[in-house]
Amino acid sequence: MFKLSPVWRLLLMAVGAFLIYASWTLWVNYNLDPAAAFFSAWVYGLYSFSITLLLSVTNEIAAKKLNHGARALAMFITVQTGFMIGVSYLVNYLAGTPDIIKTIALGAILSIIFSTSYVLGLRQSKLH
């Protein structure tokens, strides 16, 4: 089976996040204000790249260090997702995103799925 090094894995996920969330932001906001939509897409894409790197690194650490109980994992993901949603809202507010709630909704949902599956996957594999 082909395995990527942790650095490549983190970078590929971050680039993917940039592409997905910049496209999503542009699509959700374009009809409201095209100029603001392009700016917001660029800002949210860069933010998504950065936050994905941060979340991935913390997930790598959590998979190694966290108590392996379900409660510890749930608490970690709750705190991590709350942080991501709060910062996402702030970034989009400062960027002048026309529809912030629709813009960050996809990221919030995918963050919960991503963090949970990533940490569980790392804990069950020999990647860490």
Side-chain angles (χ1 to χ4, degrees):
M1 181 178 186
F2 179 70
K3 291 184 183 180
L4 293 173
S5 72
V7 172
W8 278 108
R9 198 168 54 239
L10 297 175
L11 288 174
L12 286 175
M13 286 186 290
V15 168
F18 175 88
L19 295 172
I20 290 167
Y21 293 116
S23 299
W24 172 257
T25 302
L26 184 61
W27 184 72
V28 166
N29 295 289
Y30 188 79
N31 288 335
L32 299 172
D33 183 346
F38 277 104
F39 181 74
S40 295
W42 179 249
V43 169
Y44 199 48
L46 289 174
Y47 164 74
S48 297
F49 178 92
S50 303
I51 198 73
T52 299
L53 278 178
L54 177 66
L55 294 178
S56 298
V57 168
T58 59
N59 286 339
E60 295 271 347
I61 293 167
K64 292 178 186 176
K65 305 278 184 190
L66 267 183
N67 175 348
H68 289 198
R71 187 175 183 189
L73 178 62
M75 181 62 75
F76 171 76
I77 290 169
T78 301
V79 169
Q80 188 182 60
T81 302
F83 171 78
M84 187 277 309
I85 290 170
V87 175
S88 292
Y89 187 90
L90 179 62
V91 165
N92 281 283
Y93 175 79
L94 293 174
T97 302
D99 194 340
I100 296 173
I101 299 302
K102 284 184 185 174
T103 300
I104 68 173
L106 177 66
I109 293 165
L110 292 179
S111 176
I112 294 166
I113 295 167
F114 170 76
S115 293
T116 303
S117 60
Y118 194 71
V119 171
L120 289 175
L122 284 173
R123 283 178 32 187
Q124 294 174 0
S125 75
K126 298 190 187 309
L127 294 176
H128 64 279

